[in-house]
């Protein structure tokens, strides 16, 4: 659909949860890392400018250091543009809440920090290509943090904060990118 319909932006949220097929099996996800990577590669080949976001959980019951390393390896393979990363927490009534080998908070916290270091690295590197480029941005309105700055999203679902004349809300505007961060772009 992204190839056939220009109105569909080249950005996809493709949740994975873990880089370990064994952890995915324990989560009852129904797919393997090999299948996920095959889909990722196929989409990347067909739509080279596609951006990917995902969901990742660290510290699922029984997650070994090797299984966690598989998640870091997947992040380094996919180089996600952004991810929602979480520490596993038991939910009452779920099978996982009753599983043995619950991971300590200290280990989960340390793993989340390591994961976020990898995610931040790739997000920033992915954003570097936008520096000094002009991108189309759907202006949603003034930034929540600064009333002198607009905020909106590019076609690739990149958060863009920018300065411009009054009255740009709800318009698609061309924005020159002047600075990049891990999870947002600045421009004018």
């Amino acid at each position: 659909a992204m190839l056939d319909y220009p109105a569909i932006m080249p950005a996809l949220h493709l949740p994975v949860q873990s880089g370990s097929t064994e952890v995915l099996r324990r989560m009852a996800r129904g797919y393997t890392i090999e299948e996920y990577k095959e889909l990722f590669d196929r989409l990347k080949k067909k739509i080279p400018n596609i951006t990917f976001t995902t969901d990742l959980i660290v510290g699922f019951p029984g997650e070994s250091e090797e299984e966690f390393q598989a998640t870091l390896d997947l992040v380094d393979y996919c180089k996600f543009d952004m991810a929602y990363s979480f520490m596993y927490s038991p939910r009452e009534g779920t099978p996982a809440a009753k599983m043995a080998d619950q991971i300590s908070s200290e280990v989960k916290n340390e793993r989340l920090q390591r994961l976020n270091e990898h995610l931040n690295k790739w997000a920033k590197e992915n954003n570097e290509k936008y520096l000094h480029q002009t991108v189309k941005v759907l202006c949603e309105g003034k930034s929540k943090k600064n009333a002198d700055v607009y905020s909106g999203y590019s076609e690739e679902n990149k958060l863009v904060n920018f300065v411009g004349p009054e009255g740009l809300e709800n318009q698609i505007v061309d924005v020159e990118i002047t600075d990049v961060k891990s999870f947002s772009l600045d421009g004018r």
Side-chain angles (χ1 to χ4, degrees), residues 70-134:
T71 297
L72 295 180
D73 293 344
L74 180 70
V75 167
D76 292 343
Y77 180 88
C78 294
K79 302 174 184 172
F80 296 107
D81 289 87
M82 200 272 289
Y84 298 97
S85 55
F86 306 94
M87 287 189 286
Y88 166 79
S89 58
R91 302 274 166 94
E92 192 174 327
T94 64
K98 299 174 189 164
M99 289 180 176
D101 299 326
Q102 297 288 326
I103 306 296
S104 73
S105 295
E106 295 79 20
V107 170
K108 289 190 284 190
N109 190 32
E110 184 269 335
R111 286 179 181 172
L112 183 62
Q113 288 178 24
R114 286 169 47 205
L115 174 62
N116 286 337
E117 287 172 11
H118 283 249
L119 292 169
N120 290 342
K121 172 190 172 199
W122 295 119
K124 176 92 186 272
E125 187 172 301
N126 288 334
N127 282 347
E128 293 289 341
K129 67 183 171 196
Y130 295 98
L131 189 60
H132 305 302
Q133 300 297 314
T134 299

Side-chain angles (χ1 to χ4, degrees), residues 18-119:
S18 173
S20 163
T21 294
E22 178 56 28
V23 171
L24 293 175
R25 185 193 63 73
R26 292 195 308 267
M27 290 178 170
R29 295 294 172 179
Y31 53 89
T32 67
I33 286 307
E34 292 74 23
E35 291 167 334
Y36 184 92
K37 288 167 83 173
E38 182 183 310
L39 175 61
F40 176 91
D41 290 341
R42 208 169 58 236
L43 290 165
K44 198 75 165 164
K45 185 176 180 180
K46 285 187 177 192
I47 309 165
N49 65 326
I50 193 170
T51 59
F52 286 96
T53 59
T54 195
D55 297 333
L56 293 161
I57 297 171
V58 300
F60 191 78
E63 180 186 63
S64 67
E65 180 61 30
E66 182 180 87
E67 290 168 332
F68 172 69
Q69 183 60 51
T71 297
L72 295 180
D73 293 344
L74 180 70
V75 167
D76 292 343
Y77 180 88
C78 294
K79 302 174 184 172
F80 296 107
D81 289 87
M82 200 272 289
Y84 298 97
S85 55
F86 306 94
M87 287 189 286
Y88 166 79
S89 58
R91 302 274 166 94
E92 192 174 327
T94 64
K98 299 174 189 164
M99 289 180 176
D101 299 326
Q102 297 288 326
I103 306 296
S104 73
S105 295
E106 295 79 20
V107 170
K108 289 190 284 190
N109 190 32
E110 184 269 335
R111 286 179 181 172
L112 183 62
Q113 288 178 24
R114 286 169 47 205
L115 174 62
N116 286 337
E117 287 172 11
H118 283 249
L119 292 169

Side-chain angles (χ1 to χ4, degrees), residues 2 6-12 47-52 154-157:
M2 286 179 187
I8 299 175
M9 300 298 101
L12 185 63
I47 309 165
N49 65 326
I50 193 170
T51 59
F52 286 96
S154 73
E155 293 176 326
E156 298 84 9
N157 202 34

